[in-house]
Amino acid sequence: MPAPKNLFKDAIAAKQPQIGLWVTAADAGITELIGTTGFDWLVVDSEHAPNDIRSLRDSLMALNGSDSHPVVRIPFGEAWMVKQVLDAGAQTVLVPMVDTAEQAREMAAAMYYPPKGIRGMGASGARVSRFAAIADYVATANDEVCLIVQAESRAALDNLDDILAVDGVHGVFIGPADLSADMGYPGNANAPEVQKAIAAAIQKIAASDKAAGILTQDLASAKTYLDLGATFVAVGIDTVFLAKGLRKLSSDAKDLL
């Protein structure tokens, strides 16, 4: 039996638009609920959310059977972090703060078993192989892993052509918040200069054999990015949406008094 098919990888390779959501609650019950809501992909975040390897594993378990594909964001570009989340069951990994092609190559190597890469041979005792129930996991895993790197600095945009040339990178995700801060507009990703840089980057990625991705919290911007050529677009953050909804409910209820 081979490794499970990575339908998200196939979709972004074919440039089929995928709508996603950022998941930061760090709770498997919330992740399971979100997995029933119809998003194509979900970022299970451990850079800015309080996830560790056990809670990441639990969220991956909670998404078993969901049509929403889990994309695990690790805290930093370290090979050992890639190894842990892959063995926990992730197939698609999002790596923040990738500024150079050298960094992208290091992350690509971490995704693959030798001789293509340097991934450690520990799957037989791990969840990813269903504890050795998937007999052909090691032989087939390289075909189903998917690496997305985040370009979220001026340096990354300057090096974008070289990053796009790296074999083993399947998508480049623009990080508007950090990019805007690096460009001198912290907290203002809508600054015209930032949006111009984002648009140029998306178009460049879309013209390559890689897929472009981005996060926004309004649908008008999502439409703009899709029209520019972005393939995988996250349209919100779970905790932000929950907080806004509950604050409105609380305020509306108190208006009854």
Side-chain angles (χ1 to χ4, degrees), residues 227-252:
D227 289 344
L228 286 167
T231 300
F232 56 109
V233 177
V235 294
I237 301 171
D238 60 342
T239 49
V240 172
F241 191 86
L242 177 63
K244 285 182 178 178
L246 291 178
R247 286 169 186 147
K248 184 177 186 308
L249 178 60
S250 172
S251 176
D252 290 349

Short mmCIF file of all heavy atoms in Angstrom, two decimals, residues 227-252:
data_model
loop_
_atom_site.label_atom_id
_atom_site.label_comp_id
_atom_site.label_asym_id
_atom_site.label_seq_id
_atom_site.Cartn_x
_atom_site.Cartn_y
_atom_site.Cartn_z
N ASP A 227 -7.37 36.82 -8.95
CA ASP A 227 -7.31 37.36 -10.30
C ASP A 227 -5.88 37.61 -10.75
O ASP A 227 -5.57 37.53 -11.95
CB ASP A 227 -8.12 38.66 -10.39
CG ASP A 227 -9.62 38.43 -10.31
OD1 ASP A 227 -10.07 37.27 -10.48
OD2 ASP A 227 -10.35 39.41 -10.07
N LEU A 228 -4.99 37.90 -9.81
CA LEU A 228 -3.58 38.09 -10.13
C LEU A 228 -2.86 36.78 -10.42
O LEU A 228 -1.77 36.79 -10.99
CB LEU A 228 -2.86 38.80 -8.98
CG LEU A 228 -3.15 40.30 -8.82
CD1 LEU A 228 -2.64 40.79 -7.47
CD2 LEU A 228 -2.50 41.09 -9.95
N GLY A 229 -3.49 35.66 -10.01
CA GLY A 229 -2.88 34.37 -10.29
C GLY A 229 -2.59 33.52 -9.07
O GLY A 229 -2.01 32.42 -9.20
N ALA A 230 -2.95 34.00 -7.87
CA ALA A 230 -2.75 33.19 -6.68
C ALA A 230 -3.60 31.92 -6.77
O ALA A 230 -4.75 31.96 -7.22
CB ALA A 230 -3.11 33.97 -5.42
N THR A 231 -3.03 30.82 -6.33
CA THR A 231 -3.73 29.53 -6.40
C THR A 231 -4.34 29.15 -5.07
O THR A 231 -5.49 28.71 -5.02
CB THR A 231 -2.76 28.42 -6.86
OG1 THR A 231 -2.24 28.75 -8.15
CG2 THR A 231 -3.46 27.08 -6.93
N PHE A 232 -3.60 29.30 -3.98
CA PHE A 232 -4.14 28.93 -2.68
C PHE A 232 -4.19 30.17 -1.79
O PHE A 232 -3.18 30.79 -1.49
CB PHE A 232 -3.38 27.76 -2.05
CG PHE A 232 -1.89 27.96 -1.89
CD1 PHE A 232 -1.34 28.14 -0.63
CD2 PHE A 232 -1.04 27.91 -2.98
CE1 PHE A 232 0.03 28.31 -0.46
CE2 PHE A 232 0.33 28.07 -2.83
CZ PHE A 232 0.87 28.28 -1.57
N VAL A 233 -5.41 30.53 -1.41
CA VAL A 233 -5.66 31.79 -0.70
C VAL A 233 -6.41 31.47 0.59
O VAL A 233 -7.50 30.87 0.56
CB VAL A 233 -6.48 32.77 -1.55
CG1 VAL A 233 -6.78 34.04 -0.77
CG2 VAL A 233 -5.73 33.10 -2.84
N ALA A 234 -5.83 31.88 1.72
CA ALA A 234 -6.53 31.76 3.01
C ALA A 234 -7.32 33.05 3.24
O ALA A 234 -6.80 34.15 3.02
CB ALA A 234 -5.54 31.54 4.14
N VAL A 235 -8.56 32.89 3.67
CA VAL A 235 -9.47 34.04 3.74
C VAL A 235 -9.83 34.44 5.17
O VAL A 235 -10.74 35.25 5.37
CB VAL A 235 -10.75 33.75 2.92
CG1 VAL A 235 -10.42 33.63 1.44
CG2 VAL A 235 -11.46 32.49 3.42
N GLY A 236 -9.12 33.93 6.14
CA GLY A 236 -9.41 34.33 7.51
C GLY A 236 -8.60 33.54 8.51
O GLY A 236 -7.87 32.62 8.16
N ILE A 237 -8.76 33.95 9.78
CA ILE A 237 -8.09 33.31 10.91
C ILE A 237 -9.16 32.90 11.90
O ILE A 237 -10.02 33.71 12.27
CB ILE A 237 -7.09 34.27 11.57
CG1 ILE A 237 -6.03 34.72 10.54
CG2 ILE A 237 -6.43 33.62 12.78
CD1 ILE A 237 -5.12 35.83 11.05
N ASP A 238 -9.12 31.66 12.34
CA ASP A 238 -10.20 31.13 13.16
C ASP A 238 -10.47 31.95 14.41
O ASP A 238 -11.61 32.32 14.70
CB ASP A 238 -9.94 29.65 13.53
CG ASP A 238 -8.64 29.45 14.32
OD1 ASP A 238 -7.76 30.34 14.31
OD2 ASP A 238 -8.50 28.38 14.94
N THR A 239 -9.42 32.28 15.17
CA THR A 239 -9.62 32.97 16.43
C THR A 239 -10.12 34.40 16.22
O THR A 239 -10.90 34.92 17.03
CB THR A 239 -8.32 32.98 17.24
OG1 THR A 239 -7.24 33.40 16.41
CG2 THR A 239 -8.01 31.59 17.79
N VAL A 240 -9.67 35.04 15.15
CA VAL A 240 -10.14 36.40 14.84
C VAL A 240 -11.63 36.36 14.52
O VAL A 240 -12.42 37.18 15.01
CB VAL A 240 -9.35 37.00 13.67
CG1 VAL A 240 -9.96 38.32 13.21
CG2 VAL A 240 -7.89 37.20 14.05
N PHE A 241 -12.03 35.39 13.69
CA PHE A 241 -13.44 35.27 13.32
C PHE A 241 -14.29 34.97 14.53
O PHE A 241 -15.38 35.55 14.72
CB PHE A 241 -13.58 34.17 12.27
CG PHE A 241 -14.93 34.12 11.62
CD1 PHE A 241 -15.21 34.90 10.50
CD2 PHE A 241 -15.94 33.29 12.11
CE1 PHE A 241 -16.45 34.86 9.90
CE2 PHE A 241 -17.18 33.25 11.52
CZ PHE A 241 -17.44 34.03 10.41
N LEU A 242 -13.82 34.07 15.39
CA LEU A 242 -14.56 33.71 16.60
C LEU A 242 -14.70 34.92 17.53
O LEU A 242 -15.80 35.20 18.04
CB LEU A 242 -13.86 32.56 17.33
CG LEU A 242 -14.48 32.11 18.66
CD1 LEU A 242 -15.89 31.57 18.46
CD2 LEU A 242 -13.59 31.05 19.32
N ALA A 243 -13.61 35.63 17.73
CA ALA A 243 -13.65 36.79 18.63
C ALA A 243 -14.60 37.86 18.11
O ALA A 243 -15.40 38.43 18.87
CB ALA A 243 -12.25 37.36 18.81
N LYS A 244 -14.54 38.15 16.82
CA LYS A 244 -15.43 39.16 16.24
C LYS A 244 -16.89 38.75 16.39
O LYS A 244 -17.75 39.56 16.75
CB LYS A 244 -15.10 39.37 14.76
CG LYS A 244 -13.84 40.17 14.51
CD LYS A 244 -13.62 40.37 13.01
CE LYS A 244 -12.39 41.22 12.73
NZ LYS A 244 -12.15 41.38 11.27
N GLY A 245 -17.17 37.49 16.10
CA GLY A 245 -18.54 37.01 16.19
C GLY A 245 -19.08 37.07 17.60
O GLY A 245 -20.23 37.49 17.83
N LEU A 246 -18.27 36.67 18.57
CA LEU A 246 -18.73 36.66 19.96
C LEU A 246 -18.85 38.08 20.52
O LEU A 246 -19.75 38.37 21.31
CB LEU A 246 -17.79 35.82 20.81
CG LEU A 246 -17.84 34.31 20.53
CD1 LEU A 246 -16.84 33.57 21.40
CD2 LEU A 246 -19.26 33.77 20.75
N ARG A 247 -17.95 38.97 20.11
CA ARG A 247 -18.06 40.36 20.56
C ARG A 247 -19.34 41.00 20.03
O ARG A 247 -20.01 41.75 20.74
CB ARG A 247 -16.83 41.16 20.12
CG ARG A 247 -15.58 40.83 20.92
CD ARG A 247 -14.33 41.42 20.32
NE ARG A 247 -13.15 40.96 21.05
CZ ARG A 247 -11.96 40.75 20.50
NH1 ARG A 247 -11.80 40.97 19.20
NH2 ARG A 247 -10.95 40.34 21.23
N LYS A 248 -19.66 40.72 18.79
CA LYS A 248 -20.89 41.26 18.22
C LYS A 248 -22.11 40.68 18.93
O LYS A 248 -23.06 41.40 19.25
CB LYS A 248 -20.97 40.97 16.72
CG LYS A 248 -22.20 41.61 16.05
CD LYS A 248 -22.23 41.37 14.57
CE LYS A 248 -23.37 42.15 13.90
NZ LYS A 248 -24.67 41.93 14.51
N LEU A 249 -22.09 39.36 19.17
CA LEU A 249 -23.21 38.73 19.86
C LEU A 249 -23.38 39.33 21.26
O LEU A 249 -24.51 39.65 21.69
CB LEU A 249 -22.99 37.23 19.96
CG LEU A 249 -24.05 36.43 20.70
CD1 LEU A 249 -25.42 36.57 20.04
CD2 LEU A 249 -23.64 34.96 20.81
N SER A 250 -22.26 39.50 21.97
CA SER A 250 -22.33 40.09 23.31
C SER A 250 -22.90 41.50 23.26
O SER A 250 -23.79 41.87 24.05
CB SER A 250 -20.92 40.11 23.91
OG SER A 250 -20.91 40.83 25.14
N SER A 251 -22.42 42.30 22.32
CA SER A 251 -22.91 43.68 22.20
C SER A 251 -24.38 43.72 21.81
O SER A 251 -25.16 44.49 22.41
CB SER A 251 -22.07 44.42 21.16
OG SER A 251 -22.55 45.72 20.94
N ASP A 252 -24.77 42.90 20.86
CA ASP A 252 -26.18 42.89 20.42
C ASP A 252 -27.10 42.45 21.54
O ASP A 252 -28.20 42.98 21.72
CB ASP A 252 -26.35 41.96 19.22
CG ASP A 252 -25.70 42.52 17.96
OD1 ASP A 252 -25.30 43.70 17.95
OD2 ASP A 252 -25.58 41.75 16.97
#
